[in-house]
Amino acid sequence: MIRVLVADDQALVRAGVRMLLQATGDMEVVGEAVDGAEAVRLAERHLPDVILMDLRMPRVDGLEAIKRVLAARPGARIVVLTTFAEDANVYAALRAGAVGFLVKDDEPERMVDAVRRAAAGEQLLAPSVLRRVVERFLDAEEQAAAPPPAGLTERELEVLALVGTGLSNAEIAEELHVGVTTVKTHIAAAMEKLGLRNRIQAAVVAHRTGLVDASFRPVRLPRP
C-alpha cells in the first residue's frame, strides 16, 4: 500500500485527489494539509511514501514546506502540484529536491501513475516537460559545458545520458538490453557518486556535461 499525504489549501482539490487515489486499491491517503506548515507536521507524523504538494498555500508555501520536509527526511518523495506549468517556483522546487511535478488539470490516470512512479523512485516528467525544465535550469545557471563526470563507469554514463533524454527505467532497459533492476542499480550508483537527489538533477547534469545534445539525443560514448 502506497501511503500518500496531500497538501493543498483547496478543499475540493484535496477531496478529489483522495477519491481518486483511494479508488486505486493500492494507495491510502494518510493525511490532508491545508498549508505548508501542516504539511511539514503531518509528514513527520505519518511518514508518507509520497507527498503531493501544492506550491501556493497560505502561511507557509509549498516551496518552503518542501525544504523543511527534505531537511528532516532527505529521502522523502515530493511531487509538486501546480496550476501553472510555467510557475517559476516549480523550478525552485525541483532544485530543492522535489521529484517532479503535476499540473492540476492533468488526466487523473497521470496522477495515479505519477504517485506509483514516485513511490518506486522514478521521475515524473514527460519528455516534453523534462525538456522545458532542463532548458530552464541550464538558462538560469548560465554555466559553460563541463566534461563528462569523472568516476562513473561507461555503463553509468550511458544510463545517465538516457535519463537525460527523459526515458523511463523500462525504456532504458529496453534500449540497453538489460533488466530494469540493472538500470536502477546504475542510476543509483551514478547519483550517489555525483551527489544528486533525483533524476531531474541527473538529467540536468547529463545535458550540462554533453552526454545529451541539444536535440535531447544521447551522445554516443566510446567503448574502452
Side-chain angles (χ1 to χ4, degrees), residues 138 141-147 207-210:
L138 295 178
E141 293 180 354
E142 296 180 347
Q143 294 186 7
H207 284 261
R208 185 189 301 146
T209 57

Side-chain angles (χ1 to χ4, degrees), residues 12 25 41 49 61 70 109 138 142 171 195-196 218-219 223:
L12 284 176
R41 182 172 58 80
D49 300 306
D61 65 20
L70 289 175
E109 294 79 9
L138 295 178
E142 296 180 347
E171 291 168 334
L196 304 175
V219 175
R223 290 282 184 181

Side-chain angles (χ1 to χ4, degrees), residues 79-159:
V79 179
V80 170
L81 281 174
T82 180
T83 303
F84 306 102
E86 294 296 337
D87 189 330
N89 283 334
V90 167
Y91 305 100
L94 296 177
R95 191 192 302 273
V99 297
F101 73 85
L102 293 169
V103 179
K104 289 183 179 178
D105 60 2
D106 274 340
E107 294 295 324
E109 294 79 9
R110 177 167 172 74
M111 178 174 292
V112 171
D113 179 60
V115 171
R116 290 197 178 109
R117 292 178 66 177
E122 295 192 31
Q123 74 176 77
L124 310 174
L125 301 180
S128 60
V129 179
L130 177 65
R131 176 188 294 266
R132 194 163 65 239
V133 170
V134 169
E135 289 174 346
R136 182 66 174 264
F137 265 111
L138 295 178
D139 288 345
E141 293 180 354
E142 296 180 347
Q143 294 186 7
L152 271 61
T153 67
E154 180 165 344
R155 187 58 102 183
E156 289 166 355
L157 289 171
E158 287 180 322
V159 171

